[in-house]
Amino acid sequence: MAERPEDLNLPNAVITRIIKEALPDGVNISKEARSAISRAASVFVLYATSCANNFAMKGKRKTLNASDVLSAMEEMEFQRFVAPLKESLEVYRREQKGKKEARKDKDKKADSEEQDKSREEENDDDDERMEEEEQNEEEEVDN
């Protein structure tokens, strides 16, 4: 675990960015308020993680998964966040699937290009051998 309580806080840059995105333009926030929000967010994350961990332990698992987090949100009485979280999770999964498929397509393309190069090299080798054989035959005929 963390050595100091401050180690559990979220990075200030992340907190500042989230706050700026949530507030309208021209609204400023004091350093104290930013610090308080940071601590509150850290406590929330730790509590949500603890609740999700309980669901994983009930399932005799050591790894938390998305369903554990969603169940924890319901247990913590944050049901209104469950639907948006599910939507975000689906978007994330689709993006990951798209990236995986793109990687597969790229690998297949690279493999096929490699095979094409190998075939070309083999054909070039065959052509060279045929030319040599023809030259040898011509030399034998001349002799």
Side-chain angles (χ1 to χ4, degrees), residues 55-76:
F55 282 100
M57 286 172 42
K58 286 177 188 174
K60 297 179 182 174
R61 292 178 282 110
K62 291 185 179 183
T63 303
L64 300 181
N65 59 36
S67 65
D68 297 326
V69 175
L70 294 171
S71 298
M73 296 302 285
E74 288 178 1
E75 183 176 293
M76 294 167 31

Side-chain angles (χ1 to χ4, degrees), residues 122-136:
E122 287 175 10
N123 289 339
D124 290 345
D125 291 345
D126 289 345
D127 290 344
E128 288 176 14
R129 267 188 252 126
M130 288 177 65
E131 287 177 12
E132 287 177 13
E133 288 175 4
E134 287 176 1
Q135 285 178 354
N136 290 339

